[in-house]
Amino acid sequence: NTLIDSNSLITTLSSANAYGILLYEQAFKRPLNDVTISNNILTCQGATSSGGIYVIGDVWDGYQSVISNLKISGNTVKGYGNNPEGFGIGVKQTLFAGSPVTGLLGDGVVISDNVIEFPAHAVTTYGIVLSNGLRSGSVTGNVIKNFRSQGVRLLGVQDFNLSGNTLIADPAASGVFGFNERGKDLTTHYNSQGNRYGQNTYKGTFSRPVAHSDETCFNSDRVILRRTGVLASDTVIATQWPKQV
């Protein structure tokens, strides 16, 4: 039952592992329920391995902290990308490692009406990263500017509504993806599937608006992850566009 609202957080010095807001539960073994992060202004200059807002449902000493009813809305995140792997907003539900991987999936994650702006010509940047066992939620009405890799990255994410977002690629970038949906890694059975896309606007030079990356997952057995979803009524404003989408 946490509210983080209307703060101005500024990172002025280059430093490693800089986050505007980092929220995870590890020591006290409680779930991450009913958390709202809203109307904050987060500014970073040149930090490495940085992120604007990062919420982690962690595993610690045999206990899993599960994310539920998380709302991230109305925030302005600027500058968290002047380095490799920078991101604006990240949500990660960590699962128990094993064979097969087990654990509770996070649900009720709402990311809406945020403005994320990266510095021009940063190395690799992602606007929003959702990963490792999130089910049911939405990413709507967000504006992501100057990203150079993927506007929204989904790793093992299911049943999300992704609509009404504006994705503006860095003018110097080419071959970027608006959304990239895939499995988490070689130790996770969870698919990215059942996600719905529509009424998003893309500006820049894109390889594809939505990419589905199948991969082989090695665990107790070998499986091929397959993607399902819906893509409808998007607006594309691009300097270049492939013949096949």
Side-chain angles (χ1 to χ4, degrees):
N1 299 311
T2 297
L3 172 64
I4 302 175
D5 182 82
S6 300
N7 300 284
S8 179
L9 306 175
I10 302 173
T11 300
T12 57
L13 299 177
S14 296
S15 60
N17 302 316
Y19 299 95
I21 296 172
L22 174 61
L23 180 60
Y24 69 100
E25 181 55 273
Q26 190 176 74
F28 297 103
K29 299 185 179 181
R30 297 173 181 169
L32 282 166
N33 290 337
D34 302 315
V35 175
T36 298
I37 302 173
S38 58
N39 305 313
N40 300 284
I41 300 174
L42 312 174
T43 306
C44 178
Q45 297 179 2
T48 59
S49 303
S50 65
I53 299 172
Y54 198 17
V55 180
I56 306 171
D58 212 350
V59 172
W60 180 255
D61 193 25
Y63 174 82
Q64 182 192 27
S65 181
V66 181
I67 297 171
S68 64
N69 299 325
L70 169 67
K71 183 177 182 181
I72 302 176
S73 66
N75 301 282
T76 298
V77 179
K78 186 174 182 179
Y80 286 86
N82 194 19
N83 61 89
E85 301 291 332
F87 64 89
I89 296 174
V91 180
K92 179 180 181 181
Q93 177 61 69
T94 305
L95 301 173
F96 287 101
S99 184
V101 173
T102 61
L104 299 175
L105 301 179
D107 64 54
V109 176
V110 175
I111 301 177
S112 64
D113 303 312
N114 302 282
V115 176
I116 300 169
E117 183 174 358
F118 296 110
H121 313 310
V123 180
T124 302
T125 50
Y126 307 95
I128 297 171
V129 179
L130 306 175
S131 62
N132 202 6
L134 294 173
R135 174 176 291 171
S136 82
S138 61
V139 178
T140 59
N142 301 283
V143 178
I144 304 173
K145 303 178 182 179
N146 288 339
F147 66 94
R148 292 183 62 87
S149 183
Q150 300 161 19
V152 179
R153 191 180 199 195
L154 298 94
L155 306 169
V157 175
Q158 300 180 0
D159 302 323
F160 265 65
N161 171 42
L162 303 107
S163 63
N165 302 284
T166 299
L167 286 71
I168 304 172
D170 189 309
S174 62
V176 300
F177 298 110
F179 299 88
N180 192 326
E181 176 181 307
R182 61 181 297 173
K184 173 61 176 73
D185 54 34
L186 296 179
T187 60
T188 302
H189 276 293
Y190 293 100
N191 294 10
S192 285
Q193 63 181 14
N195 298 305
R196 303 172 300 280
Y197 304 88
Q199 299 179 344
N200 298 293
T201 299
Y202 306 87
K203 297 181 181 181
T205 304
F206 286 78
S207 175
R208 295 181 182 179
V210 180
H212 304 276
S213 303
D214 286 345
E215 61 187 36
T216 302
C217 173
F218 296 92
N219 205 299
S220 57
D221 54 4
R222 178 172 174 171
V223 297
I224 300 296
L225 307 184
R226 301 187 183 277
R227 312 288 172 259
T228 61
V230 177
L231 173 66
S233 63
D234 287 6
T235 301
V236 176
I237 305 173
T239 56
Q240 298 178 14
W241 193 254
K243 293 181 179 179
Q244 182 178 359
V245 178

